[in-house]
Each structure stands twice: as C-alpha cells, then as structure tokens.
C-alpha cells in the first residue's frame, strides 16, 4: 500500500531533501523543467530560494508547498502568480515529484489537496497550469483533477535546448 500524500507550506529545513531530489533527477527532468543555475542543486541555494518563496508568501503572491509521503519530502507543489483582486481571484499551479516516488498517485493527490487549499484558504476562483505537449503523466494528473485544456502557447518556454509549446489548462474552482 502506498503511503499517504500530504502538502504543507515549505520550510527552511526542506532545502536539503529538495536539493537531493533535484541533483538525482537532473537528467530525468531535463525534458520537462527549465535549466537551473548551479546553486539550485545545493542545500544552501535551495535555502535562499525558500527564503524568497516565503517572502512571496508573506506578500500574498505565492503559496509554496512541499509534497510529503509519510514524513518524507518527495516534491513540491506551488500556487504562484496569485491575483487576489475580487474580479480576478486566480493563480497558476506547478508541481514535481522525485523520480523515486513517481507513479504512485502522489501528484494527483497533491494537486487535489492544492485545489482544496486554493478554494477554502486562498479564496480563489480560477487556476491555470501549463504542460509540455508530450508530458502525458502531468496531463493525466491535471485531467484527473478536473482541468481542461484550452489552448496552446506557442514557443513559450525554453526547455532542453529549444523553445517549446505549452499546453494550457484551466480549472474553475467551486464558487
Ligand atoms: C508529472 C509528475 C508530477 C507526475 O507525478 P506522479 O506522482 O508520478 O503522478 P501520479 O502518479 O499521480 O499520476 C501519473 C499518471 O501518469 C500516468 N503515466 C505515467 N507514465 C505515463 C506515460 N509514459 N504515458 C502516459 N501516462 C503515463 C500514470 O498512469 C498516472 O495516470 P493514472 O492516474 O491515469 O493512472 C512527475 O512525473 C514529475 O515530477 N515529472 C517531472 C517534472 C514534471 O513533469 N513536472 C510537471 C511539469 S508541468
């Protein structure tokens, strides 16, 4: 039986496990995640990044979370670009799960939990996401959580040595 999936706000102590996942997965993630500077792969660099994300959280622009299986940090889920104005109330969602924990339903569960948080705690109305056209696992995660594709953003992200199209996804939250 797989261990349960939880999400919580990121903490400074998450820097080391996040760096360890990203070092191990640098090749596996190359097709899907943008290239990162060298300090992204060190606990110290991740600690600085976490400080910046928590400052964004205090400012209300981001909810930076980690995904847990049992008590182990296995990935991140980030509600970013929060626009809380009453006529917008929207944000975008990003996530990754370390290769050692993939294909056990953790991302699907984590996105479901993030949707609940966006509705109940952040009071949002709409969430958007973007996937590579060939990233079928990520598309499955979104479909399973009620997202629909609504367009293609051409040449929108530089990944693995070239500009790639992004498949755009939307989900209207319970209102
Ligand atoms: C995408 C990602 C977050 C999925 O995490 P995960 O915990 O493995 O996801 P889940 O186990 O919840 O779901 C994976 C789904 O993809 C399906 N899947 C796995 N490999 C697949 C493949 N090669 N082709 C099609 N579907 C595939 C699984 O069967 C499952 O679908 P199901 O629920 O219908 O059975 C993870 O693979 C990852 O972090 N990848 C690298 C970074 C990345 O892609 N980030 C997202 C950028 S948009």
């Amino acid at each position: 039986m797989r261990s349960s999936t939880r999400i919580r706000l990121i903490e400074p102590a998450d820097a080391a496990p996040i760096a360890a996942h990203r070092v191990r997965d640098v090749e596996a993630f190359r097709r899907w995640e943008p290239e990162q500077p060298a300090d992204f792969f060190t606990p110290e660099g991740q600690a600085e990044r976490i400080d910046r994300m928590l400052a964004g959280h205090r400012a209300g622009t981001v909810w930076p979370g980690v995904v847990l299986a049992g008590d182990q940090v296995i990935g991140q889920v980030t509600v970013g670009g929060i626009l809380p104005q009453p006529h917008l109330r929207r944000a975008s969602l990003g996530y990754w799960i370390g290769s050692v924990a993939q294909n056990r339903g953790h991302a699907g569960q984590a996105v479901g939990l993030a949707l609940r948080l966006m509705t109940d705690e952040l009071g949002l109305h709409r969430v958007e996401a973007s996937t590579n056209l060939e990233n079928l696992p990520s598309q499955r995660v979104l479909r399973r959580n009620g997202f629909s594709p609504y367009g293609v953003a051409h040449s929108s992200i530089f990944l693995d040595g070239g500009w790639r199209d992004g498949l755009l996804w939307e989900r209207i939250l319970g209102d």
Side-chain angles (χ1 to χ4, degrees), residues 59-123:
T61 57
V62 59
W63 189 92
V66 287
V67 182
L68 302 167
D71 59 359
Q72 300 292 309
V73 173
I74 57 162
Q76 285 183 261
V77 59
T78 306
V79 182
I82 298 174
L83 297 173
Q85 296 89 330
H87 63 292
L88 298 173
R89 290 170 52 208
R90 69 174 180 239
S92 57
L93 185 65
Y95 45 82
W96 59 266
I97 298 291
S99 57
V100 289
Q102 288 177 4
N103 283 317
R104 291 176 218 168
H106 289 302
Q109 295 286 328
V111 167
L113 292 167
L115 291 177
R116 198 178 310 161
L117 177 130
M118 281 182 260
T119 308
D120 296 348
E121 293 183 32
L122 304 180

Side-chain angles (χ1 to χ4, degrees), residues 13 31 36 153:
R31 285 182 72 197
Q36 299 288 352

